[in-house]
Amino acid sequence: MLKRITLAITVAGFSLALFAGSGSAATILKVGVVDLQGALNATSEGIAAKETLRNKHMAKQEQVDKMKAELDTMEEKIKSPVISEEAQVDLKEKYRQKKAQLIEFVTRAKEEEDRENQQLSARILEGLIKIAQEIAKTENYSIILEKSGSAVVYFEDSMDLTDRVVKIYNERYQAGEGQ
């Protein structure tokens, strides 16, 4: 429902802007489109950031796998018929503690991963938006839309500025320069 309202407002706004003009002459809109998420994933910095995050994730996953293996071993010992009842109670308590540690570790790792991803993405997106705004000003675009937004149903390929924004970003912010 919200998407339909947004689309209706956008279409109405375009219609008004397109046909509004001084006197009898209509104003011509120059519209561009940028896929910010695609641009984020296509920048050299975005690719490197994703690789760094993937490596960190894999390292943490190895720790999780070790912890799970330890829990599996403990579980087998708990099920063993040769273990005394007192040892079994003790082992169950240690198992419960280790399982709680695993859950806490996974939760903290996920939060840290999400936070780091958000920080890296925000910084890159800020640069991409700045470049898109510069293109709009220097080339007299009336509006630049975000491609993956729900209001954009169709656009001509010639309106897509994503590749240009990525190219300029990579040139400007190569190896962290310019920010």
Side-chain angles (χ1 to χ4, degrees), residues 101-159:
Q101 288 173 352
L102 172 62
I103 292 168
E104 176 64 25
F105 178 81
V106 168
T107 301
R108 277 194 331 262
K110 177 75 173 129
E111 288 170 355
E112 183 181 312
E113 193 175 291
D114 289 346
R115 184 176 48 255
E116 191 171 352
N117 184 32
Q118 181 66 28
Q119 289 171 345
L120 290 169
S121 296
R123 187 169 45 83
I124 296 169
L125 283 171
E126 185 178 304
L128 292 168
I129 290 169
K130 183 178 174 183
I131 290 167
Q133 290 170 340
E134 290 171 6
I135 290 171
K137 288 177 185 170
T138 58
E139 298 182 20
N140 299 317
Y141 279 88
S142 302
I143 189 168
I144 295 184
L145 301 172
E146 208 292 311
K147 181 178 177 179
S148 62
S150 61
V152 179
V153 178
Y154 171 80
F155 61 91
E156 293 180 24
D157 290 340
S158 63
M159 297 170 72

Side-chain angles (χ1 to χ4, degrees), residues 63-79 91-106:
Q63 288 179 284
V64 168
D65 292 344
K66 285 181 186 177
M67 293 170 86
K68 283 182 177 179
E70 188 177 344
L71 284 172
D72 290 344
T73 301
M74 290 176 81
E75 191 171 21
E76 289 300 317
K77 286 181 182 178
I78 290 170
K79 292 178 181 178
L91 201 52
K92 282 181 179 180
E93 178 58 25
K94 287 181 182 176
Y95 178 87
R96 187 192 63 72
Q97 290 173 355
K98 291 277 186 187
K99 189 170 184 178
Q101 288 173 352
L102 172 62
I103 292 168
E104 176 64 25
F105 178 81
V106 168

Side-chain angles (χ1 to χ4, degrees), residues 79-97:
K79 292 178 181 178
S80 173
V82 294
I83 191 170
S84 71
E85 193 174 314
E86 185 179 315
Q88 190 179 37
V89 169
D90 185 46
L91 201 52
K92 282 181 179 180
E93 178 58 25
K94 287 181 182 176
Y95 178 87
R96 187 192 63 72
Q97 290 173 355

